[in-house]
């Protein structure tokens, strides 16, 4: 069968020059460019997993990320896709786009079967089917086995009803199939990385904790299940081999839940010599000195921690089960080995007041993570917040089908005065904020703890560059390259910045060219390419104009570039179906803003990899 797995846009996005839809299908009135979290545009890992299972079962599969596409383009894509089954991933932020796309599919392909899953559809499965007659089936939570059974039924011409782990219509009524047990042996699943190019990797499912705002238990069930260490290492090896930039985001809910397992993964990465940098998400109470050192040596560059608040009262209210003391201790441990620490913070949780908010701001100054980012509490279906708000009578489930909001962002119980205070602060401080950066002495100490480590040399070299110590900077950056740093583009970018400081424009151009050829697509490199191109265009060398270049090696990925992981351009043959069982060809990575950046005499080019 032909299976099209789509990640739709959040609403009817207007085409360039086209006015927004005012009939209720367009963006919310209060929407501003940048309101969508950058992670929104990443294809959900579940779609890749469904695709991998379907390919192994002998089906023809396409995964398309349409999350930033104007709706007229979505319609063109749907019209061109002659699929038997259309599957979509539904989150709260794109629930309206899923409904619009389902309507479009049904109008163009009336005989196709439309199945929807995801963390928004799972707890609202009955409502999705009642409100959207175009949708045939909703898969609940962990969907691989239910999806495969659905495909078997459809291929055999049997009714797609009664399948465990699904919601469906029968006799004009919406019904739920029996519950489907969680998949105990995750190694039995086909790996997405054997078939798709994505910088996201998931090695486990579930979280043993139950924070009031989180819906992980609704999606995965209670508890933690992990893939075996060999399976994880095979997946990482396959993922890295396909990536143009050797950076991976491990997006488990709580990656370090099983410390022994993670240490074995890290040791396996080094034994197999899988060369890449990575980030992960976890909690402060499942970290330790030996674990963090192993993670750093295996390439861990950034640790994202769900901190949420610096107020002990709020941490207790949301059932976080961590302390402020533990947050600071774990932050210092990560810094000890040079791991960049990012805090995810929240405003508006249960019991939030102006006082608890001030405690949080004071806490940040004391803890000093490298970065932090705030979000306002969103009430997601499937969370304890959702259930308690509905029980209290101030939340009606129907609002998710009637409102045009992106996500239901609202303080749980803050006063109007405190809400106004927090809203005003958030408006001035939203987005990623930088708070801490190591200097030369800190970087020297980190290198001494890690030994002759490539990324630590690169970081020390950039610290020397920031301090104006160019010879030392060059020495450490060169050593990072000798040791095989996984991001040579950032090392050559640093060498270009050193050359520019020395006034050696020829060497700067050579290093930029090498960076672009060896390792394109780093945001900092592309930013410098554009700055240098503009500088040459203005006659910078002859007029003595300043050249603003940046040397950084933070964990950062370029967004919106290549299908199917991000909503880049589709290839011309996107609607041509591969033979059953064939692996999708990786799409070429592309520079944001154009295919090339040229400098005088053609010395600097950013080329597709």
């Amino acid at each position: 069968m032909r299976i099209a797995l789509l990640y739709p846009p959040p609403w009817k996005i207007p085409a360039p020059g086209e006015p927004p839809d005012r009939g209720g299908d367009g963006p919310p009135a209060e929407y501003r460019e940048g309101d969508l979290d950058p992670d929104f545009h990443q294809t959900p890992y579940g779609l890749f997993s469904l695709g991998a299972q379907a390919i192994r079962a002998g089906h023809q599969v396409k995964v398309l990320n349409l999350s930033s596409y104007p709706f007229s383009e979505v319609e063109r894509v749907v019209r061109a896709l002659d699929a038997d089954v259309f599957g979509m991933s539904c989150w709260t932020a794109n629930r309206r786009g899923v409904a619009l796309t389902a309507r479009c599919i049904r109008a163009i392909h009336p005989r196709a079967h439309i199945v929807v899953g995801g963390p928004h559809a799972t707890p609202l499965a009955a409502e999705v089917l009642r409100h959207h007659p175009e949708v045939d089936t909703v898969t609940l939570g962990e969907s691989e086995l239910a999806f495969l059974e659905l495909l078997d039924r459809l291929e055999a011409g049997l009714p797609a009803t009664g399948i465990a782990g699904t919601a469906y219509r029968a006799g004009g009524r919406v019904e739920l199939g029996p519950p489907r047990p969680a998949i105990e042996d995750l190694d039995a699943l086909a790996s997405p990385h054997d078939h798709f190019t994505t910088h996201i990797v998931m090695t486990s499912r579930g979280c043993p904790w139950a924070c009031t705002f989180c819906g992980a238990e609704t999606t995965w069930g209670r508890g933690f299940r992990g893939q075996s260490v060999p399976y994880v290492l095979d997946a990482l090896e396959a993922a890295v081999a396909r990536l143009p930039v050797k950076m991976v985001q491990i997006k488990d809910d709580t990656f370090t839940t099983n410390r022994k397992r993670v240490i074995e993964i890290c040791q396996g990465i080094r034994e197999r010599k899988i060369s890449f940098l990575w980030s992960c998400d976890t909690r402060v109470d499942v970290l330790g000195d030996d674990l963090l050192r192993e993670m750093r040596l295996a390439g861990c560059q950034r640790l994202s921690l769900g901190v949420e608040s610096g107020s002990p009262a709020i941490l207790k209210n949301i059932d976080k089960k961590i302390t402020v003391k533990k947050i600071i201790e774990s932050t210092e441990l990560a810094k000890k080995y040079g791991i960049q620490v990012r805090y995810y913070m929240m405003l508006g949780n249960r019991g939030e007041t102006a006082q608890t908010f001030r405690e949080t701001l004071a806490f940040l100054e004391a803890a000093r993570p490298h970065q932090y980012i705030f979000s306002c509490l969103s009430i997601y279906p499937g969370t304890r917040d959702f259930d308690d708000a509905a029980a209290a009578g101030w939340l009606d489930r129907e609002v998710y089908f009637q409102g045009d909001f992106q996500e239901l962002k609202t303080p749980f119980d803050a006063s109007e005065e405190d809400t106004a205070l927090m809203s005003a602060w958030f408006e001035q401080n939203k987005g990623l904020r930088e708070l801490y950066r190591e200097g030369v002495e800190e970087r020297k100490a980190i290198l001494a703890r890690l030994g002759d480590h490539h990324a630590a040399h690169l970081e020390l070299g950039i610290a020397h560059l920031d301090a104006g110590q160019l010879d030392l900077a060059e020495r450490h950056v060169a050593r990072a390259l000798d040791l095989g740093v996984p991001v040579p583009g950032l090392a050559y970018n640093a060498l270009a910045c050193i050359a520019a400081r020395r006034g050696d424009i020829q060497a700067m151009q050579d290093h930029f060219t090498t960076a672009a050829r060896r390792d394109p697509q780093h945001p900092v490199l592309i930013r410098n390419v554009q700055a240098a191109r503009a500088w040459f265009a203005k006659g910078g060398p002859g007029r003595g104009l300043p050249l603003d270049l940046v040397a950084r090696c933070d964990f950062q990925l370029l967004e919106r570039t290549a299908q199917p992981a991000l909503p880049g351009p589709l290839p011309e043959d996107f609607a041509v179906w591969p033979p059953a069982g064939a692996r999708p060809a990786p799409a070429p990575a592309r520079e944001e803003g154009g295919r090339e950046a040229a400098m005088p005499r053609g010395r600097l080019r950013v080329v597709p990899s």
Side-chain angles (χ1 to χ4, degrees):
M1 298 180 72
R2 294 178 172 181
I3 317 297
L5 300 175
L6 309 181
Y7 185 42
W11 42 70
K12 187 175 285 188
I13 297 175
E18 180 183 16
D21 183 280
R22 298 303 182 191
D25 292 334
E30 69 276 10
Y31 175 75
R32 299 292 179 271
E33 188 67 32
D35 282 356
L36 284 167
D37 186 293
D39 286 347
F40 169 81
H41 292 288
Q42 298 178 351
T43 296
Y45 196 75
L47 278 187
F48 290 129
S49 185
L50 293 181
Q53 313 320 311
I55 290 171
R56 188 171 67 178
H59 300 288
Q60 298 166 284
V61 176
K62 290 183 176 294
V63 178
L64 304 179
N65 186 324
L66 309 177
S67 62
S68 66
Y69 277 39
F71 204 74
S72 56
E73 184 66 6
V74 174
E75 292 174 324
R76 183 187 75 83
V77 170
V78 168
R79 189 174 300 280
L81 285 172
D82 183 18
D84 302 302
V85 176
F86 287 86
M88 289 183 282
S89 183
C90 184
W91 300 64
T92 299
N94 79 334
R95 69 195 187 283
R96 296 166 61 219
V98 167
L100 287 165
T101 305
R103 195 183 310 161
C104 173
I105 294 168
R106 179 60 68 228
I108 297 172
H109 305 286
R111 296 185 179 181
H113 194 93
I114 301 174
V115 55
V116 171
H120 183 84
T122 290
L124 297 177
E127 289 92 337
V128 167
L129 290 169
R130 291 190 188 108
H131 282 273
H132 307 305
E134 299 83 9
V135 176
D136 296 301
T137 304
V138 175
T139 56
L140 309 178
E142 189 174 53
S143 296
E144 287 92 349
L145 300 186
F147 186 65
L148 286 176
E149 186 173 343
L150 173 67
L151 297 182
D152 288 345
R153 295 272 195 97
L154 294 173
E155 191 168 38
L158 299 174
T161 57
I163 299 173
T166 68
Y168 50 88
R169 294 184 193 83
R173 301 184 310 277
V174 171
E175 296 186 1
L176 295 177
R180 183 177 288 272
I183 301 171
E184 291 301 325
D185 182 11
L186 296 178
D187 288 10
L189 295 174
S191 172
H193 305 286
D194 290 337
H195 303 282
F196 302 104
T197 301
T198 172
H199 54 267
I200 294 175
V201 173
M202 289 188 69
T203 77
S204 67
R205 295 180 177 182
C207 177
W209 295 268
C211 301
T212 58
F213 54 83
C214 179
E217 184 173 341
T218 299
T219 297
W220 303 121
R222 191 74 172 142
F224 174 89
R225 292 166 288 140
Q227 298 160 352
S228 70
V229 171
Y231 186 98
V232 172
L233 294 173
D234 288 347
L236 288 171
E237 206 160 34
V240 170
R242 299 174 70 95
L243 291 171
V245 173
K246 306 306 180 185
M247 287 184 172
V248 166
Q249 291 178 308
I250 297 177
K251 296 300 288 185
D252 300 26
D253 288 315
T254 311
F255 177 56
T256 62
T257 295
N258 184 331
R259 298 191 204 188
K260 180 176 180 292
R261 171 179 173 272
V262 174
I263 288 174
E264 291 176 359
I265 289 171
C266 291
Q267 291 171 343
I269 289 170
R270 295 171 66 192
E271 289 168 4
R272 290 199 190 188
K273 295 182 171 54
I274 310 173
S275 183
F276 68 110
L277 300 180
W278 50 279
S279 70
C280 69
D281 298 357
T282 192
R283 293 168 51 96
V284 300
D285 52 349
V286 284
L287 297 172
D289 190 285
D290 56 341
L291 171 65
L292 287 164
R293 187 174 190 277
E294 288 291 341
M295 289 169 63
R296 175 63 162 151
L297 290 173
C300 182
Q301 195 84 351
R302 186 178 75 205
L303 201 60
S304 295
L305 301 173
V307 169
E308 326 313 349
S309 176
S311 165
I314 299 301
L315 293 175
K316 182 179 180 180
N317 290 347
I318 63 177
D319 210 8
K320 191 69 187 178
K321 291 184 168 57
I322 59 174
T323 65
V324 169
K325 179 182 177 183
K326 188 62 177 178
I327 297 169
I328 294 175
E329 286 177 355
S330 293
T331 299
E332 290 305 311
L333 275 181
K335 286 180 178 179
K336 176 181 175 181
Y337 295 111
I339 298 176
Q340 182 184 18
V341 178
R342 175 181 291 184
Y343 286 177
Y344 289 130
M345 308 297 296
M346 297 178 70
L347 288 175
N349 274 311
R350 302 167 182 235
E352 191 86 89
T353 64
Q355 175 57 32
T356 62
F357 173 53
R358 284 191 287 268
E359 288 178 31
T360 291
L361 295 183
F363 154 78
L364 286 172
E365 288 299 323
R368 298 193 66 75
H370 296 83
Q371 300 172 329
Y372 63 89
I373 185 168
F374 272 87
S375 63
C376 300
L377 174 66
S378 290
I379 308 294
Y380 295 115
T383 65
R384 208 185 322 170
D385 280 346
F386 174 86
D387 293 337
D388 290 352
W394 63 264
L395 176 63
D396 183 351
R397 302 163 73 94
E398 288 298 303
V399 72
Y400 294 94
F401 299 92
Q402 297 169 357
D404 70 351
F405 53 84
Q406 173 188 321
E407 294 177 343
L408 188 58
K409 296 182 182 294
T410 179
F412 195 85
D413 52 12
S415 68
E416 290 187 13
E417 182 180 1
D418 290 345
T419 297
L421 170 70
M422 291 184 287
S423 296
W425 181 90
F426 181 78
E427 189 60 32
Q428 296 298 316
N429 295 275
K430 61 186 177 182
L432 190 65
R433 315 296 290 185
E434 304 278 348
L435 187 58
Y436 173 76
R437 190 178 183 189
E438 289 89 349
V440 169
E441 294 309 312
E442 292 88 354
R443 289 298 182 189
K444 282 183 179 178
I446 291 166
L447 181 62
R449 294 184 194 109
L450 294 175
D452 204 17
H453 185 255
H454 48 61
H457 274 292
L458 178 57
E459 291 159 354
L460 177 54
I462 290 175
H464 279 303
L465 173 59
D466 291 341
Q469 301 161 345
L470 302 186
D471 290 346
L472 288 169
E474 186 174 43
R475 183 187 310 167
H476 284 286
V477 173
R479 182 58 182 160
L481 286 167
D482 289 343
L483 291 170
V485 67
V487 285
L490 295 184
Y492 283 108
N493 176 76
L495 292 175
C497 292
I498 294 168
R501 289 270 194 99
R502 289 171 170 160
D504 189 342
I505 304 305
Q506 181 66 60
M508 178 195 76
Q509 291 177 273
D510 291 341
H511 288 313
F512 272 142
T513 298
T514 302
R517 287 177 178 163
R518 286 279 307 276
D519 195 25
Q521 303 307 300
H522 291 288
V524 67
L525 172 60
I526 291 174
R527 181 253 183 223
N528 283 350
V529 165
Q530 293 170 341
R533 183 173 56 186
W535 183 68
F536 274 100
K538 293 177 182 177
R543 297 172 59 192
L545 299 176
L547 174 57
D548 178 26
L549 299 178
V550 175
R552 295 290 292 262
C553 54
D554 303 336
F555 188 91
Q556 187 180 11
L557 287 161
L558 186 66
E559 299 292 346
R560 301 195 187 192
T561 50
Q563 292 280 351
L566 294 161
L570 292 171
E572 292 183 3
D573 63 348
F574 75 90
V576 177
W577 291 91
R583 297 185 177 188
R590 302 177 70 161
E591 176 198 354
E592 188 163 315
R595 291 182 63 87
E596 295 184 351
M599 289 181 66
R601 298 162 52 201
R603 300 201 61 87
L604 176 61
R605 301 176 65 202
V606 174
V607 296
S609 61

